[in-house]
Amino acid sequence: MRRTSSILKKHRYGERVYLPSDARDNQYILAEIPLTDNLINLVCGGIDETSVKPYQKFYQSLSHKIFEIVEEHGLSHVNFVANNRLVRVRYSGEQQVLHTEQQSFFFYCPEHNSTFKGYFDGAIRARKIKILFLATGQELRVNSGKFHSKVYQAIKDISKSIGLADNEIKLRDHQHLTFDVFAKDKGATNTISHTFREIADRYESQGQSISNDHTSVTYVVASIPMARRLLKGAEIDYLSDEPFTKLYKKIENAFNKSCQANKIDQAALLANGVSPFVRYDENEVANVSGELIYIGVNPNNAETRFCVHWEADTLVDTLRFVFFADKSDETHHNYGKFVNQAIAAVRAFSDEVDWKKESDDIIVRVHQHIMLNV
């Protein structure tokens, strides 16, 4: 594993972002309730420790209560999750749920998918109860504030119905915008323009206010497949204990050069086979655990955060670039500039490694995330 740091000056690009017309929106809201003894007593009065599945009745009773309440609020795509896995949401024309050891992937299309379902094992006590609300319809961004308000009120009613104290439920509102950086190089001619705004500010403009006591994180992830052309020109000794050292140094140098050319000062390159998940964290802790890397980000810290992680003995399937926004990037006049800066860095990297833009994708996902207590 290698780490590298550099002090780089900030520079911002134009405010308006032009994206391919087939860029995909996703919005999901995750409500998290700690699974305490008190919660169990409030829901079903206790559990039978002698049972093969002592928590089955609890999960069934709580999920039934939750589904009844959210249905009253007109919410049609809700999942009850109690399996100690990180919830991931991705777009797909085919609705499905896939589980790994540490993650649950929910694939769905906002235009035509809906379901009420629970994912739990009655024999296991989960650390948290998670209620996953998936936005539906064609105008997710336009209606995102209304969706948030509807979910917020449903969660308030769930909390009241169970008998929880105020602020016991944590609400995370996630929004993604996903696109291929090289759609135009492949012949796409239609574009749409975006002027990005921090979620709470955008909700205000939609007539939906949220609590000022919330945290906000913004970042951009570029996923780059380990194409054959990346290996060309790099000396690889397959008999060595660390055969990919020179390959990753080549990639690292191209990454550094693209960041420097676009004045990026808060970014990471991950090439160690783990999936990043980013959360607001004033202490900015980073931790690798199994198939995941937790990255804590404090947007109020404008100091340089620039690092590279790779394993010289492992050839990964996908490289991931993560570009982090600080508080100044989340202002209305800088948001679009930040996204353009990240896109320009990805394109600069592709030039350095002779990427075949007309046929190969580099998928970029812009993440916006706010968290508040209910």
Side-chain angles (χ1 to χ4, degrees):
M1 179 183 294
R2 287 175 52 86
R3 299 171 183 264
T4 182
S5 62
S6 174
I7 298 175
L8 303 170
K9 296 179 180 178
K10 275 189 184 292
H11 176 70
R12 297 301 184 220
Y13 289 72
E15 296 174 16
R16 192 169 293 274
V17 183
Y18 294 91
L19 302 177
S21 57
D22 63 352
R24 300 188 300 269
D25 278 314
N26 276 98
Q27 180 184 12
Y28 67 97
I29 299 178
L30 198 61
E32 298 179 347
I33 311 172
L35 204 171
T36 62
D37 291 342
N38 180 56
L39 178 63
I40 292 173
N41 289 329
L42 289 171
V43 172
C44 62
I47 60 169
D48 180 5
E49 294 283 3
T50 64
S51 171
V52 175
K53 294 187 175 183
Y55 299 97
Q56 187 76 13
K57 177 183 175 183
F58 164 71
Y59 290 142
Q60 289 178 338
S61 298
L62 181 57
S63 61
H64 178 67
K65 184 187 294 287
I66 287 170
F67 287 147
E68 279 192 327
I69 294 172
V70 299
E71 193 168 22
E72 291 172 0
H73 286 268
L75 295 160
S76 61
H77 204 338
V78 184
N79 294 277
F80 177 93
V81 185
N83 61 8
N84 288 333
R85 291 181 173 92
L86 178 71
V87 170
R88 301 276 203 183
V89 176
R90 296 292 184 264
Y91 174 91
S92 174
E94 179 183 359
Q95 179 176 307
Q96 59 180 326
V97 181
L98 301 176
H99 304 287
T100 68
E101 186 70 25
Q102 293 176 271
Q103 302 175 83
S104 289
F105 288 88
F106 289 80
F107 296 92
Y108 89 113
C109 175
E111 295 183 16
H112 57 73
N113 288 163
S114 64
T115 185
F116 280 47
K117 191 171 180 181
Y119 298 88
F120 55 84
D121 182 344
I124 298 174
R125 175 169 176 158
R127 293 183 296 273
K128 297 177 183 178
I129 301 298
K130 299 177 183 179
I131 313 169
L132 174 62
F133 299 87
L134 295 159
T136 57
Q138 294 184 336
E139 298 289 344
L140 297 191
R141 186 166 289 265
V142 172
N143 295 314
S144 57
K146 291 180 181 179
F147 178 66
H148 178 96
S149 295
K150 187 180 289 189
V151 170
Y152 181 88
Q153 191 54 56
I155 291 300
K156 291 287 285 186
D157 288 352
I158 289 170
S159 178
K160 182 178 179 181
S161 174
I162 296 172
L164 297 176
D166 289 344
N167 298 323
E168 277 199 55
I169 301 180
K170 187 173 292 184
L171 206 65
R172 302 182 187 274
D173 188 335
H174 296 259
Q175 296 179 34
H176 304 161
L177 186 61
T178 308
F179 55 93
D180 174 16
V181 169
F182 302 121
K184 186 176 180 180
D185 300 87
K186 296 179 178 65
T189 56
N190 295 329
T191 61
I192 52 177
S193 64
H194 277 273
T195 51
F196 286 85
R197 304 178 70 176
E198 197 267 342
I199 291 178
D201 290 342
R202 177 151 43 86
Y203 286 176
E204 287 289 346
S205 70
Q206 296 174 359
Q208 308 289 333
S209 62
I210 66 172
S211 168
N212 289 327
D213 187 21
H214 70 272
T215 59
S216 175
V217 174
T218 299
Y219 58 102
V220 174
V221 178
S223 297
I224 304 167
M226 183 60 78
R228 180 69 179 172
R229 67 183 48 82
L230 290 177
L231 278 64
K232 292 181 178 179
E235 184 180 335
I236 300 175
D237 180 3
Y238 287 97
L239 299 179
S240 168
D241 291 337
E242 297 184 336
F244 305 110
T245 298
K246 291 184 178 180
L247 168 66
Y248 286 131
K249 283 184 177 179
K250 169 190 167 184
I251 291 171
E252 180 182 331
N253 289 337
F255 172 72
N256 289 342
K257 188 173 180 179
S258 65
C259 287
Q260 290 169 359
N262 293 281
K263 308 300 186 290
I264 288 178
D265 60 0
Q266 298 187 7
L269 163 60
L270 303 177
N272 53 359
V274 296
S275 298
F277 70 103
V278 180
R279 294 289 185 267
Y280 178 92
D281 183 352
E282 292 184 354
N283 297 318
E284 299 185 314
V285 173
N287 180 50
V288 177
S289 177
E291 63 196 57
L292 298 170
I293 178 169
Y294 168 86
I295 303 176
V297 173
N298 181 3
N300 296 309
N301 179 9
E303 296 180 3
T304 295
R305 285 169 290 180
F306 186 55
C307 60
V308 175
H309 297 261
W310 49 261
E311 301 292 345
D313 61 349
T314 304
L315 184 65
V316 295
D317 297 322
T318 305
L319 305 169
R320 290 185 175 88
F321 297 170
V322 189
F323 306 97
F324 305 102
D326 63 31
K327 204 68 177 177
S328 66
D329 293 314
E330 291 187 334
T331 64
H332 182 50
H333 294 294
N334 285 342
Y335 224 131
K337 295 178 183 180
F338 164 72
V339 176
N340 277 331
Q341 180 184 13
I343 293 172
V346 173
R347 294 190 70 93
F349 172 84
S350 69
D351 290 337
E352 284 292 315
V353 299
D354 195 27
W355 196 255
K356 198 172 183 180
K357 303 172 186 177
E358 65 274 15
S359 61
D360 292 343
D361 296 349
I362 292 183
I363 301 300
V364 166
R365 182 175 291 111
V366 181
H367 293 254
Q368 295 177 283
H369 163 216
I370 61 172
M371 191 278 288
L372 61 154
N373 294 318
V374 180

